[in-house]
Amino acid sequence: MNGDQVTALLDEFAADGLRVWVAGGWAVDAVVGRQTRPHADLDLAIDASQQAELLALLDRLGFVTTVDWLPVRAELTAPDGRKVDIHPVAFRPDGSGVQSGLDGATFAYAADGFAEGVIDGRPVPCLSVGQQLRFREGYPPREVDRHDINLLRGL
């Protein structure tokens, strides 16, 4: 997926009033301000209260569910091969949130875990540097993780 495709999808979500934040590799590139590597998909943290509306919009855009692990995550694929990986977040009144994980695990989003970055010269909502680093702890890093961590630590 390229930057134009990412920003086009984000425009669709915003036009429908859907709250989403770029996560994963694209979020790293967003806070860095430039694309640093290829991305196979677009990871999104989404407002869990809007999950049905977001899935309906993706359906109208031609995406079909190819992995359904909800409420943990779902992966949707378009006919042209674009992939969106959604991660529903239940928000608390203080702005923090929690995402369900497999086997009863949970992932915490701090209230300061949401920020703004840049993709293709456009401001986009994304996960903060601190949140992204927290999500890359507790498992052996792959080469792509080492790449992302090095960039995030340099900010």
Side-chain angles (χ1 to χ4, degrees):
M1 185 174 290
N2 65 43
D4 287 340
Q5 293 169 319
V6 169
T7 56
L9 279 174
L10 294 174
D11 288 345
E12 294 278 355
F13 301 141
D16 271 23
L18 300 171
R19 294 178 358 128
V20 302
W21 295 265
V22 176
W26 272 114
V28 174
D29 287 355
V31 296
V32 169
R34 64 183 169 79
Q35 187 171 350
T36 65
R37 63 177 176 86
H39 301 284
D41 66 358
L42 171 61
D43 289 285
L44 294 172
I46 68 165
D47 184 335
S49 70
Q50 297 179 322
Q51 177 179 307
E53 293 91 339
L54 186 127
L55 290 172
L57 173 59
L58 287 170
D59 180 65
R60 289 193 305 274
L61 295 173
F63 285 81
V64 296
T65 302
T66 48
V67 174
D68 184 351
W69 292 353
L70 291 172
V72 176
R73 65 178 279 268
E75 186 176 285
L76 298 100
T77 305
D80 63 5
R82 289 174 297 148
K83 293 182 186 219
V84 175
D85 192 354
I86 64 167
H87 305 266
V89 178
F91 285 93
R92 299 180 180 122
D94 69 358
S96 66
V98 65
Q99 175 191 337
S100 296
L102 297 174
D103 299 324
T106 59
F107 301 100
Y109 289 75
D112 67 355
F114 305 93
E116 188 173 273
V118 175
I119 295 177
D120 267 6
R122 295 189 44 205
V124 298
C126 65
L127 297 185
S128 69
V129 170
Q131 187 68 44
Q132 292 186 58
L133 284 169
R134 286 187 290 272
F135 277 163
R136 286 171 172 80
E137 297 172 350
Y139 65 90
R142 304 164 296 166
E143 184 59 35
V144 69
D145 297 314
R146 286 189 284 278
H147 170 270
D148 291 349
I149 290 167
N150 286 336
L151 287 171
L152 292 167
R153 286 186 178 154
L155 297 176

